[in-house]
Amino acid sequence: MPREDYATPVLYTLSTLSRVLRYVLFGTVFLSISSLAAFEALHAYVESSIPPSRSSADDSSISSSASSSAYGWEDENEPWTGGSAGGTDPRLGWRARHALRGAWIAWHWGAGGGGTIGKDRGVHPDLDLGRRRMIGEPGMGPGVNRVDRGYELADEYVDVTISQARARGLVFPPTLSGARSPGPPADTPTSPVQGDPTVLDLLSLKAAIQERLNTPSTLARAKELYETVLVASVRGAGAGAGASGAAKALHLAREMRAAKKVGDLCARMGDAAEAAQWWSWGLARAGVHPPQVDVVAAVAEAKAKTASWFSWKHAAKPMLAAATVPAEAVPTLAPPVQRATTALLLSISAHLSQSRSTLALAHSTQMYALDHLPTTPFSAPTASTAPSALDALWLAQRRALLLLHSAAVSHALGNDAAAAAAAAEADDASDALLRLVDRAGGPAVTKQPALVAPFEQLERDARATAAEAAYTRGILLERGQGADAVTAVPAAVKATKAAAGIKTAASDEEARLEAAHECLERALALTGDEARDEAERGEEWARYWRAHLRVLAKLETAVEVV
């Protein structure tokens, strides 16, 4: 009887299982190492991508002769704790630095379309009190909003970083008293140490994220955090007697920007009186005293009129009865202080433009800002002149924005000629600015990490301002304002166009509507990409599109009549 072999099948089975287990083990190890390497490579990339920013600890090392330091563009970047070297602070430790980089990823790259449903519209803070917060467009309005999940994740990651910083013994600034009087702090240094600069950077990041979440509770929390950082800056020794002129200017500009943020948040939460205190305090830090320094009295009067049963009596009187203070000469300001001053004046202008009783005051603010806004000639930037070229472009963009504000306010005041002239000037200035921005976007700017983020923001602002200026000019032309600038085409021009096969307008009305149509087409081109879905283009594009269709229908009617 043959002998049966049971060992061979068993050994074969065990050998097969061992090979499968080895493959699984080796695959698991390989995937784990690859995932860990990819994770760390991503964080290394983010660490190298975070631009330089200047914290209070860097002020003592600023040289007044360095062009980049004199213009202070590093201060325009979000403070991710790395200082002038960029990245994150090594003192935070491995876990906190990874959490902070995770916050950067969630902030800049997003985290999908999900999020918490809030009661208020999400809005970028730079847009809220700038281009859009004019007459009849309040910054916070009713409506359902799905908060960006990226900001929610960034907020959670920053919380982890703050808790780790506290555990590592980094010095936090004193907690503000809940019984403190509203308004700016007393300008009296009380302690040489008012918080570690890295901690102040983390609190500023936390405040910026809370501001972008845009709910009543997060706005109040953002205001408290900004106040904490500002009080620590004012009462600490951030810019001592031994600091250079450039260091003092950067420290002053930092305080003024913080005052603007707190004032803007107060305005968004409905506290106009405290907002006016912060804005005025910020301007006074630079020795700037515009004619509308008594903004608090103007706001109080406007509120009293609208609260009255007989407020309709004042509705047709866009005047200011509150006392004003004559304007003083603006001192010579360093570039970062000049930018902070202009930003504060823009906030005041946009806020005063929302009430008919303060329209005249808003117009005087705009004229004051335009008169004292320096005009710097632009030249193609090189590696050494890129900071100054970017500063000139920034000032040119804000000048166009002020002209746009002036056009809106002049129209509300019934001065149609001034509104049309300001809108046309803003439109022309914005178009010229876009061409200059295209020329400036070369290696001289993109190879300097501190300038990349400010230049990209300026590029977005320039396009948004140009689109709104073209829309405003088109609407005024549609309504017959500024029609004197679009008179009948001269006979010589008609003959030239006829020879080229170009149709000319047969009447002044047709020429006016054609000009309005061209302005609205330009606004549409600057706002949205035609290849995108209509729902993703935003409310700005929809507003321009409705006006475009309306003017097009009027133009077709005018052509048929002729």
Side-chain angles (χ1 to χ4, degrees):
M1 185 173 180
R3 187 177 179 179
E4 294 186 5
D5 185 7
Y6 294 104
T8 299
V10 172
L11 292 175
Y12 178 77
T13 302
L14 292 176
S15 174
T16 302
L17 289 176
S18 65
R19 285 199 301 270
V20 171
L21 291 176
R22 282 199 303 271
Y23 292 150
V24 171
L25 179 62
F26 291 155
T28 302
V29 171
F30 175 76
L31 288 176
S32 300
I33 294 176
S34 299
S35 300
L36 181 61
F39 177 77
E40 290 299 331
L42 174 63
H43 278 263
Y45 171 77
V46 171
E47 182 75 14
S48 64
S49 299
I50 296 177
S53 61
R54 195 180 302 281
S55 62
S56 300
D58 300 319
D59 288 344
S60 59
S61 62
I62 297 173
S63 172
S64 58
S65 61
S67 175
S68 59
S69 298
Y71 285 91
W73 285 112
E74 289 183 355
D75 267 19
E76 303 289 336
N77 295 321
E78 294 294 341
W80 293 94
T81 73
S84 298
T88 55
D89 189 351
R91 296 182 300 156
L92 292 172
W94 185 88
R95 182 184 177 187
R97 295 180 75 188
H98 277 70
L100 194 56
R101 296 189 201 108
W104 188 94
I105 293 171
W107 181 321
H108 291 274
W109 297 346
T116 304
I117 295 180
K119 296 181 180 180
D120 301 291
R121 297 174 296 174
V123 62
H124 192 282
D126 292 340
L127 294 180
D128 189 55
L129 273 167
R131 176 172 53 88
R132 295 185 56 207
R133 277 199 74 179
M134 299 296 290
I135 302 168
E137 296 187 34
M140 289 182 60
V144 176
N145 170 64
R146 186 174 292 278
V147 178
D148 189 345
R149 178 58 180 162
Y151 289 145
E152 291 181 329
L153 281 179
D155 188 53
E156 295 173 6
Y157 284 132
V158 170
D159 283 340
V160 173
T161 308
I162 290 175
S163 64
Q164 289 293 307
R166 195 183 298 275
R168 285 181 166 267
L170 273 66
V171 180
F172 277 70
T175 303
L176 298 179
S177 171
R180 70 185 185 279
S181 59
D187 187 10
T188 53
T190 59
S191 171
V193 178
Q194 285 284 325
D196 191 287
T198 295
V199 172
L200 297 182
D201 288 347
L202 291 175
L203 295 181
S204 298
L205 286 175
K206 172 76 174 177
I209 296 171
Q210 293 280 302
E211 186 180 4
R212 284 163 170 79
L213 291 175
N214 195 47
T215 65
S217 60
T218 59
L219 290 180
R221 178 59 176 158
K223 175 180 177 292
E224 182 181 358
L225 290 171
Y226 279 134
E227 280 196 61
T228 301
V229 174
L230 180 57
V231 169
S233 175
V234 172
R235 296 181 179 175
S244 65
K248 291 180 179 179
L250 290 178
H251 189 81
L252 174 59
R254 190 178 303 127
E255 293 177 358
M256 295 174 67
R257 284 195 301 272
K260 176 188 179 299
K261 288 180 179 293
V262 177
D264 290 353
L265 286 170
C266 291
R268 290 168 67 179
M269 292 187 295
D271 193 347
E274 186 178 356
Q277 293 180 26
W278 282 102
W279 291 328
S280 299
W281 179 85
L283 291 174
R285 299 287 290 176
V288 177
H289 301 282
Q292 67 284 1
V293 70
D294 195 3
V295 181
V296 180
V299 171
E301 182 190 3
K303 187 174 181 180
K305 285 183 178 182
T306 54
S308 170
W309 282 94
F310 303 99
S311 58
W312 57 270
K313 293 183 178 180
H314 309 283
K317 299 179 181 180
M319 301 173 62
L320 175 70
T324 59
V325 179
E328 298 180 5
V330 175
T332 302
L333 303 176
V337 179
Q338 178 65 62
R339 294 198 302 271
T341 300
T342 305
L344 280 165
L345 290 173
L346 273 167
S347 288
I348 296 174
S349 165
H351 178 70
L352 293 175
S353 300
Q354 298 176 71
S355 173
R356 292 191 63 84
S357 62
T358 55
L359 284 176
L361 193 53
H363 189 263
S364 66
T365 304
Q366 294 151 9
M367 293 300 101
Y368 177 84
L370 287 169
D371 291 341
H372 296 89
L373 191 64
T375 54
T376 306
F378 175 80
S379 58
T382 62
S384 59
T385 63
S388 61
L390 187 57
D391 183 74
L393 291 175
W394 192 96
L395 294 175
Q397 191 273 328
R398 264 48 180 190
R399 175 178 289 276
L401 186 56
L402 281 167
L403 287 169
L404 185 58
H405 283 199
S406 177
V409 171
S410 297
H411 174 67
L413 287 170
N415 193 344
D416 295 341
E425 188 177 355
D427 188 24
D428 296 339
S430 299
D431 284 343
L433 176 64
L434 285 178
R435 291 191 292 270
L436 294 178
V437 169
D438 291 339
R439 287 176 52 195
V445 173
T446 57
K447 290 297 180 64
Q448 300 189 43
L451 302 182
V452 173
F455 178 77
E456 291 176 349
Q457 182 63 48
L458 174 64
E459 196 172 19
R460 291 191 293 269
D461 291 344
R463 289 181 64 87
T465 303
E468 190 68 18
Y471 168 78
T472 303
R473 188 179 189 181
I475 291 299
L476 292 177
L477 286 170
E478 178 195 4
R479 296 177 180 179
Q481 300 170 14
D484 54 342
V486 191
T487 55
V489 183
V493 177
K494 286 185 178 181
T496 304
K497 288 188 174 183
I502 301 175
K503 180 182 179 296
T504 57
S507 65
D508 288 351
E509 181 184 5
E510 186 179 344
R512 174 174 56 80
L513 292 173
E514 282 182 354
H517 182 254
E518 291 175 1
C519 290
L520 294 172
E521 280 190 331
R522 192 163 65 253
L524 285 170
L526 289 169
T527 304
D529 184 2
E530 294 183 0
R532 293 190 304 174
D533 183 73
E534 184 175 347
E536 299 177 359
R537 290 168 179 163
E539 60 184 33
E540 297 295 331
W541 186 92
R543 181 161 57 95
Y544 300 161
W545 178 249
R546 290 193 298 268
H548 171 266
L549 293 179
R550 185 177 64 249
V551 171
L552 186 60
K554 291 182 179 180
L555 181 58
E556 291 175 351
T557 302
V559 171
E560 291 175 0
V561 170
V562 173

